[in-house]
Amino acid sequence: IAVEQRNESWVAIFRGVDGRRTITALWAIAAQQFLGLALFGTFGTYFFQQAGLADPFKIKAITTSLQIVTVVSAVILVDKLGRRLMACFSTTLMWIACLVVGILGVTPESKATTYIFVLFACLWNIGIAGNGAAGWGYIGEISSQRLRPYTSGFAASANSISGLIMSVLTPYMVNTHKWNWRY
């Protein structure tokens, strides 16, 4: 009926309830980009090296292993917990981990701050895996059926564009010869 009445278009995903559905479909995957996917994911080993950790590759191997365990757990638990709870919990965990890592960056360095840094990097990786498992499901489930291709396309494209921006900016953030943001 919508096609016959010519009410189905890209603009429709931003109107009324469909607009809220588009934002809901977008928030979890956009949060991945702005809460450190490029930093801990793509440039993780380099970030750990720039942070002064003794064996950055070992830390990256640990965090990646945690992601694998989390994804397997998420597949098992998503039907019991629900995508919304999993996405909200995971996004909050990522946000808190980023906040703590940022605070550690302005405190005096010690052995304890290094351990806390690694702990919260591990918690962040658990959060990103849970967020990814739930967030990408949001795209297909939350949009109205008649606008699903538009909503899915928009959300995936917005995620790609923000990922591109963050992938360009992140090396400058962690490089000691550029912006040197440290932790």
Side-chain angles (χ1 to χ4, degrees):
I1 293 172
V3 172
E4 290 172 4
Q5 295 175 353
R6 302 197 187 275
N7 289 338
E8 192 174 276
S9 68
W10 282 99
V11 179
I13 67 171
F14 300 109
R15 290 190 199 130
V17 173
D18 292 319
R20 287 191 294 278
R21 288 176 183 242
T22 300
I23 290 169
T24 303
L26 185 62
W27 79 269
I29 60 170
Q32 293 174 3
Q33 298 298 338
F34 295 112
L35 289 175
L37 180 60
L39 179 64
F40 288 109
T42 308
F43 298 100
T45 305
Y46 181 68
F47 177 54
F48 296 140
Q49 179 186 23
Q50 295 299 87
L53 299 178
D55 193 354
F57 181 74
K58 185 193 308 183
I59 307 288
K60 182 64 178 165
I62 291 169
T63 58
T64 303
S65 300
L66 282 171
Q67 283 186 353
I68 293 169
V69 170
T70 303
V71 167
V72 171
S73 302
V75 168
I76 295 168
L77 294 173
V78 73
D79 288 332
K80 293 177 183 168
L81 297 177
R83 289 199 199 289
R84 181 174 183 262
L85 179 63
M86 187 177 288
C88 289
F89 175 78
S90 299
T91 305
T92 302
L93 183 61
M94 288 171 29
W95 181 80
I96 290 170
C98 285
L99 182 67
V100 170
V101 168
I103 291 170
L104 290 174
V106 296
T107 60
E109 287 186 39
S110 69
K111 200 165 188 100
T113 58
T114 302
Y115 289 132
I116 293 170
F117 169 63
V118 171
L119 170 68
F120 278 92
C122 290
L123 291 174
W124 182 92
N125 278 275
I126 291 170
I128 189 70
N131 181 296
W136 282 99
Y138 263 22
I139 291 176
E141 293 178 354
I142 202 73
S143 58
S144 63
Q145 189 171 0
R146 70 182 178 86
L147 295 174
R148 188 160 292 145
Y150 297 102
T151 305
S152 300
F154 176 76
S157 297
N159 181 55
S160 296
I161 290 168
S162 56
L164 178 65
I165 292 167
M166 294 308 294
S167 292
V168 169
L169 294 178
T170 300
Y172 290 100
M173 293 176 194
V174 296
N175 191 328
T176 55
H177 302 293
K178 296 294 180 185
W179 299 348
N180 193 23
W181 284 9
R182 300 172 22 121
Y183 283 2

